[in-house]
């Protein structure tokens, strides 16, 4: 009988420990969720950032610079394609002749 009481007491102690550990795990999960929410940028924060005139001005300048550089890149690519080298073209033959003269010198 005393053995039965000891095992019942141990079981109760272990159940209490298990309940406290489950409560700790639940508290930790809540803390993790709160941290995730605090780290994630909210849409209201993003909207206030974009409403700042200085930030908007910088974004507009960067966008215009990007468009300008994309235009320059396209022009350069078109020019490069227009001047593609072929040994049979007139320009290619002149260039090959000049290279031969430089090599001979």
């Amino acid at each position: 009988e005393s053995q039965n009481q000891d095992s019942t007491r141990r079981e109760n102690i272990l159940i209490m420990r298990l309940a406290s550990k489950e409560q700790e795990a639940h508290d930790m999960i809540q803390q993790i969720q709160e941290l995730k929410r605090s780290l994630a940028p909210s849409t209201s924060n993003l909207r206030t950032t974009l409403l700042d005139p200085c930030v908007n001005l910088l974004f507009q300048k960067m966008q215009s610079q990007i468009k300008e550089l994309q235009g320059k890149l396209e022009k350069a690519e078109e020019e490069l394609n227009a001047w593609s080298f072929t040994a049979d073209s007139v320009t290619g033959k002149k260039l090959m002749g000049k290279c031969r003269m430089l090599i001979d010198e």
Side-chain angles (χ1 to χ4, degrees):
E1 189 175 304
S2 70
Q3 201 174 23
N4 191 16
Q5 288 176 349
D6 285 344
S7 26
T8 305
R9 194 171 3 133
R10 285 185 194 152
E11 182 182 357
N12 288 338
I13 291 171
L14 291 174
I15 289 172
M16 289 175 59
R17 278 184 166 172
L18 179 62
S20 68
K21 293 294 182 183
E22 285 177 349
Q23 183 62 39
E24 285 179 24
H26 182 69
D27 292 342
M28 294 288 186
I29 289 171
Q30 284 181 338
Q31 286 180 356
I32 290 171
Q33 289 173 347
E34 287 176 20
L35 284 172
K36 283 182 179 179
R37 272 186 255 128
S38 68
L39 292 176
S42 66
T43 55
S44 62
N45 286 345
L46 292 175
R47 286 184 181 147
T48 57
T49 302
L50 293 176
L51 291 178
D52 185 7
C54 295
V55 174
N56 283 338
L57 182 63
L58 287 174
F59 276 123
Q60 289 173 354
K61 282 186 179 181
M62 287 190 302
Q63 286 176 339
S64 65
Q65 287 176 349
I66 288 173
K67 287 180 184 177
E68 180 183 335
L69 290 174
Q70 284 175 338
K72 286 182 180 179
L73 176 65
E74 287 176 10
K75 277 186 178 179
E77 286 176 345
E78 288 173 5
E79 192 173 319
L80 180 65
N81 288 335
W83 285 96
S84 61
F85 176 77
T86 58
D88 297 333
S89 68
V90 176
T91 312
K93 289 179 182 178
K94 287 181 183 178
L95 184 60
M96 293 293 284
K98 288 182 182 180
C99 287
R100 281 191 204 108
M101 283 178 30
L102 288 172
I103 289 173
D104 290 341
E105 290 178 4

